[in-house]
Amino acid sequence: GEEDWLRDRLSPADCPLFFFLNSVLYAYSPSTLGELPVRQGEVVFILPGDEQHPGGWAYVENEKGATGYIPAGYVTQLESNH
């Protein structure tokens, strides 16, 4: 379930520095290919983005493993509990 997914992602052995846990502030419906639909309150990871993509976008992965862009202002970094 979701907890397993989080635990896998947060295990120190393979937790890259670029994996930031973020909460989605607003639902987003993609308007073009490469964007990711997200729900308000959903937890996503920000990944290293594609250099080609214009600024103002965050490249994220959701708990189902799907990746895509969402507006950068639509996510807020969660407090780390480490």
Side-chain angles (χ1 to χ4, degrees):
E2 189 171 328
E3 277 153 19
D4 292 339
W5 174 79
L6 285 174
R7 198 162 40 246
D8 290 349
R9 283 292 184 277
L10 298 176
S11 61
D14 60 354
C15 186
L17 294 175
F18 54 72
F19 270 130
F20 291 114
L21 205 51
N22 289 267
S23 178
V24 176
L25 296 171
Y26 317 103
Y28 180 68
S29 299
S31 52
T32 62
L33 204 61
E35 295 174 11
L36 188 71
V38 289
R39 303 182 314 275
Q40 185 174 0
E42 191 171 352
V43 172
V44 296
F45 286 97
I46 291 188
L47 305 174
D50 176 356
E51 308 284 318
Q52 312 280 317
H53 213 85
W57 292 84
Y59 187 59
V60 303
E61 178 186 349
N62 68 14
E63 62 200 40
K64 297 187 179 79
T67 56
Y69 286 93
I70 64 172
Y74 277 44
V75 289
T76 182
Q77 195 170 336
L78 294 174
E79 293 300 313
S80 174
N81 48 10
H82 298 303

